[in-house]
Amino acid sequence: MAKEMTLVSVGIDVGTTTTQLVISQLTLVNVMPGSQVPKVEITHKSISYMGKVHFTPFEDRRHVDGTALREIVAKEYEKAGVKPEQIDTGAIIITGETAKKENASEIIHSLADYAGDFVVATAGPDLESMIAGKGSGAEALSKRLHVCIANIDIGGGTTNIAYFDRGKCIGTACINVGGRLFEVDPISHRLTYVSSPAQKIINYCNPNNNLVSNGNDLVLIKNCLKSMVECVERVIFQETLLPQDNCLVMTNLLPDVKIDGVVFSGGVAKYIYLPGIKEWWIHGDVGPLLAEAFQESRINKSLPVHEGAETIHATVLGAGAHTVNVSGSTITVSEHTLPVRNVPAVYPELDMRGKFSWLKAAGNYTDSLYRTVALIVPPLPNTDFQTILSLAETLAYELPLIKGEPKVIIAQQDIAKVLGQTLQRLLPASPLVCLDGIELAFGDFLDIAKPLPYQDAVPVIVKTLIFAR
């Protein structure tokens, strides 16, 4: 019978407009029991508690209210009937305009420490794009239909795009287009706040301020939203960006591929799928009007539109149920070395002899900032013992010169067991963590938890810690 265990995972999304919490149950099973080499996989994900949607609290325009935010999480834990010490894993992601606040990094890391023993703080527009696409169901849809699906997640501060080709994320983009970049008075319907990106679009759409002087805010807002959505169209359709797009496009790593369909998610998506709201000012922002602009867009009219599993809950579900990886089962982990947090992934360079070297790249990180680094081993041309021995000898020379413990190695092929055991023989006094089965990219950080009870694998969260400015 397959070994089985359950992890309790929390996802918390602190967004431009709203904050949400979800608690999931992740079932892990050794799918190759008996005498075969173990292989632990997450076989089932279920939602055990979905919290209410809260308005994100701010002290002022530049600071998140950390005390109020912690109170929201504490009350949701109480309603769910769980305590922080019962949470095994999960992620807090800070998104949109909120990630640009002056105290965003401090607040979100503090909240992660409170939320549970292995709950990580994450930030970064490309990670947010991918998580939203997982939570909306776009990833699963692309895998099921064997097609390329674009998930367009439209929130209060940003529109995050992720392309999923047959279940794999192949590109992301983040654009400063959101429903709360303009705020309005629910009574007078006049503008009460304009964000910096929105003000630049106002200057482009209305250089003479004639609409403002005439008090015609609705016409001005609609013109600006149309211009913003046209920027999203240019990104989606791989068209040349215009000068007015520069203030909107934060990242654009989308490949030039044929898109087979679109899924809309985020708070604004509700009004794309359920159009016709007359009281567009109901939330004190322009979300419903932005939805109208997307309904009239070339994206909506020229591409097949699928309705995902979630709209407003997409990012929080992605954070709670789709951020945890499980390492390969043929791994090497010294006793009492885990957990470790915020470990930067360090990629090697090829030296003059064609051999890998991590020394220069690792030198960019100091032990005052990071406890250790993770040396990434790219795919090798072959994995015979002589090749692995030569790699181990290189690592055995360089590891003592790189500050930090434990020594962490992440192999891109299924070689962690033999590589780790060879390194233990060459460096018997060095605490070692040698893993494989983890997909990584430049700029990623890792949180590595304690080994699972039957020691066959470890949970790993791959994240980014890029706070926008």
Side-chain angles (χ1 to χ4, degrees):
M1 189 176 203
K3 297 177 181 178
E4 180 177 307
M5 68 172 294
T6 300
L7 298 181
V8 181
S9 177
V10 66
I12 303 172
D13 175 24
V14 182
T16 303
T17 309
T18 59
T19 292
Q20 305 168 67
L21 178 148
V22 63
I23 295 176
S24 309
Q25 305 284 333
L26 309 180
T27 302
L28 283 74
V29 174
N30 176 11
V31 297
M32 301 187 74
S35 60
Q36 299 184 60
V37 175
K39 183 179 181 182
V40 179
E41 293 182 352
I42 298 174
T43 59
H44 184 66
K45 304 170 184 177
S46 61
I47 305 302
S48 58
Y49 177 77
M50 177 70 76
K52 65 177 290 189
V53 178
H54 302 264
F55 281 108
T56 300
F58 296 97
E59 294 177 354
D60 51 47
R61 293 286 181 190
R62 294 163 56 180
H63 298 88
V64 184
D65 189 335
T67 301
L69 197 57
R70 182 163 172 157
E71 287 177 359
I72 288 173
V73 174
K75 288 179 180 178
E76 291 293 353
Y77 271 22
E78 185 178 351
K79 289 179 182 178
V82 299
K83 297 178 180 179
E85 55 266 28
Q86 295 174 298
I87 301 295
D88 297 305
T89 186
I92 300 174
I93 182 166
I94 187 165
T95 60
E97 288 291 296
T98 308
K100 302 177 185 178
K101 304 305 179 186
E102 290 183 3
N103 64 339
S105 178
E106 173 190 347
I107 293 298
I108 211 69
H109 280 94
S110 174
L111 192 59
D113 290 340
Y114 165 76
D117 197 31
F118 192 57
V119 177
V120 305
T122 66
D126 295 316
L127 178 69
E128 180 185 352
S129 301
M130 182 171 63
I131 286 179
K134 290 173 179 284
S136 73
E139 176 194 49
L141 181 67
S142 74
K143 188 174 184 179
R144 187 172 74 250
L145 299 180
H146 301 283
V147 296
C148 183
I149 297 292
N151 190 80
I152 304 177
D153 187 77
I154 314 160
T158 55
T159 292
N160 296 286
I161 305 166
Y163 283 5
F164 293 92
D165 186 12
R166 302 180 186 185
K168 182 178 181 180
C169 183
I170 60 171
T172 61
C174 179
I175 307 170
N176 281 317
V177 173
R180 208 161 182 84
L181 298 182
F182 298 95
E183 294 179 21
V184 297
D185 186 297
I187 306 299
S188 68
H189 312 159
R190 298 296 306 274
L191 284 169
T192 59
Y193 171 72
V194 178
S195 67
S196 176
Q199 184 61 58
K200 291 175 182 177
I201 296 301
I202 286 179
N203 297 340
Y204 164 75
C205 293
N206 187 38
N208 298 320
N209 283 338
N210 57 315
L211 292 175
V212 176
S213 62
N214 293 332
N216 203 339
D217 286 357
L218 182 57
V219 173
L220 174 63
I221 291 169
K222 286 189 172 183
N223 287 344
C224 290
L225 295 179
K226 183 175 183 293
S227 179
M228 288 177 163
V229 172
E230 287 172 350
C231 173
V232 178
E233 290 174 343
R234 285 188 282 273
V235 172
I236 288 282
F237 293 114
Q238 297 288 323
E239 297 169 355
T240 302
L241 298 181
L242 302 181
Q244 65 268 25
D245 299 330
N246 293 333
C247 65
L248 299 180
V249 178
M250 293 177 63
T251 67
N252 184 10
L253 303 172
L254 294 176
D256 189 2
V257 297
K258 178 181 178 293
I259 306 170
D260 301 300
V262 172
V263 170
F264 290 105
S265 64
V268 173
K270 170 184 176 181
Y271 298 107
I272 296 177
Y273 291 119
L274 298 173
I277 182 170
K278 295 180 180 179
E279 298 178 338
W280 60 266
W281 56 84
I282 187 170
H283 301 299
D285 57 32
V286 297
L289 293 181
L290 180 57
E292 284 184 8
F294 271 101
Q295 285 172 330
E296 296 299 318
S297 71
R298 286 185 289 147
I299 299 168
N300 194 54
K301 291 182 177 180
S302 65
L303 294 171
V305 177
H306 304 270
E307 188 164 355
E310 287 291 341
T311 53
I312 193 171
H313 300 299
T315 302
V316 72
L317 284 174
H322 297 280
T323 55
V324 181
N325 299 277
V326 179
S327 72
S329 301
T330 52
I331 63 175
T332 304
V333 178
S334 302
E335 290 186 350
H336 311 302
T337 56
L338 296 175
V340 291
R341 288 190 176 196
N342 295 342
V343 181
V346 173
Y347 285 79
E349 297 179 352
L350 282 174
D351 63 17
M352 298 295 292
R353 299 167 296 167
K355 290 189 175 183
F356 294 132
S357 176
W358 291 264
L359 287 175
K360 183 177 178 181
N364 295 327
Y365 302 93
T366 64
D367 58 346
S368 61
L369 291 176
Y370 303 103
R371 174 181 166 186
T372 189
V373 297
L375 305 189
I376 310 304
V377 178
L380 305 173
N382 58 68
T383 55
D384 58 54
F385 180 73
Q386 190 58 46
T387 300
I388 295 175
L389 177 60
S390 177
L391 172 65
E393 289 172 344
T394 300
L395 286 165
Y397 169 74
E398 295 198 353
L399 283 171
L401 304 176
I402 297 173
K403 296 179 180 179
E405 289 187 347
K407 305 301 184 183
V408 180
I409 313 294
I410 308 292
Q412 300 293 280
Q413 293 160 297
D414 188 17
I415 61 171
K417 191 74 170 182
V418 63
L419 177 60
Q421 289 179 341
T422 306
L423 280 170
Q424 283 182 325
R425 179 174 58 83
L426 296 172
L427 298 172
S430 294
L432 181 70
V433 175
C434 192
L435 308 179
D436 54 32
I438 306 298
E439 292 188 12
L440 291 162
F442 285 101
D444 283 341
F445 287 73
L446 298 94
D447 280 25
I448 309 172
K450 294 179 181 178
L452 299 174
Y454 35 85
Q455 302 287 317
D456 295 326
V458 297
V460 179
I461 291 183
V462 180
K463 61 188 182 178
T464 179
L465 294 172
I466 303 170
F467 287 81
R469 282 290 178 263

